[in-house]
Amino acid sequence: MDRRLPELPEVEVTRRQLRAALCGRRIRAVHTAGAGQFFVTRPRTLRQKLPDRTVLRLRRHGKYLIGELDDGSRLVLHLGMTGQLFTADPGVRYRGRGELQVAPEQRPRPLDVHTHLCIEFRDGGPEVRFRDVRKFGRVLLLDAGQTDARLDKLGVDALSARGKQLFAASRKRRTAVKTLLLNQSVLAGIGNIYADEALHQCGIRPTRAAGRLSRADCEQLVEIIRAVMRDSIRLGGTTVSDFINPEGRDGSFQRCLQVYAREGEPCWTCGAEIRRIVLGQRSTHFCPHCQRR
DNA sequence: ATCTGTCCCTGGACGC
DNA sequence: TGCGTCCAGGGACAGA
């Protein structure tokens, strides 16, 4: 299975690849499969409201993709852990037992079990599909002017963050710096891989109390976070798997990972054994020699 | 206000 | 071979 572990760089790569396939095309119909927490907005509502709309712009904030529609509403997508957005020819069928809820004259339109959303366009061109094996992803449609807590509470996007913002947010925080980096209301977009990688490059131990970081620490850390993410975007993100996705190219940043998923292996900088601990219920990897600060 | 633990969900790895 | 168990992860939520 293709696991892209979507953090900011992977979502940004997805945004860039999807932009042309989504923007400026009038929606004909929306097909949904299944229900549950994946659909924050009820599937029926999506099927009713999206037809005849056009996505004008595709933005990103942290790990959220936000499609701005021509009536002022917003289609908000989160890839969760295993979410994949891709295009596919309308005629392409998938194996599996997923049953789509579609107009009677179009039945059946089988997709694979894990494809929950399919957007069809009036021009008859490729559809945009949202597949998510573990259903940690989210789909919601916000009416014009409607706000949503999960977007409102996001901090500044990590790609444009400044050190002073992390410094301000970290004051009087006793939580580990790694845990603070994963907090999306501080800096938006950092996930487990890039938090570990950035802390390693910065020489900061993940368990360090956030409140004990100096202003200079924060400035250096944010600079490194931005650099790591820029590099990853350039390389197409991180793909953890040997599976080749038929719809798209895999990223190659996984070859640059210094500590993530390298427990017991030697640090490439000093040769010490990479250690793995658990912080905030998340696995955390670091070099005990290089990361002493 | 902040922090911790639990839950959601599935496929892959692993042990017997 | 096949079954059971554990684990990974982002984020919402409840409770401390």
Side-chain angles (χ1 to χ4, degrees), chain A residues 34-91:
Chain A
Q37 57 176 12
F38 180 84
F39 291 103
V40 177
T41 300
R42 295 169 60 192
R44 182 208 281 184
T45 307
L46 295 172
R47 297 198 303 271
Q48 287 173 345
K49 289 187 173 179
L50 284 174
D52 290 328
R53 297 274 66 81
T54 300
V55 177
L56 300 179
R57 213 154 71 95
L58 187 60
R59 293 193 301 116
R60 181 192 56 75
H61 187 172
K63 303 173 196 171
Y64 283 91
L65 284 173
I66 303 159
E68 297 178 344
L69 305 180
D70 56 350
D71 65 345
S73 62
R74 288 173 294 167
L75 179 64
V76 181
L77 307 171
H78 193 293
L79 297 177
M81 267 194 67
T82 51
Q84 299 169 283
L85 281 164
F86 57 92
T87 60
D89 246 19

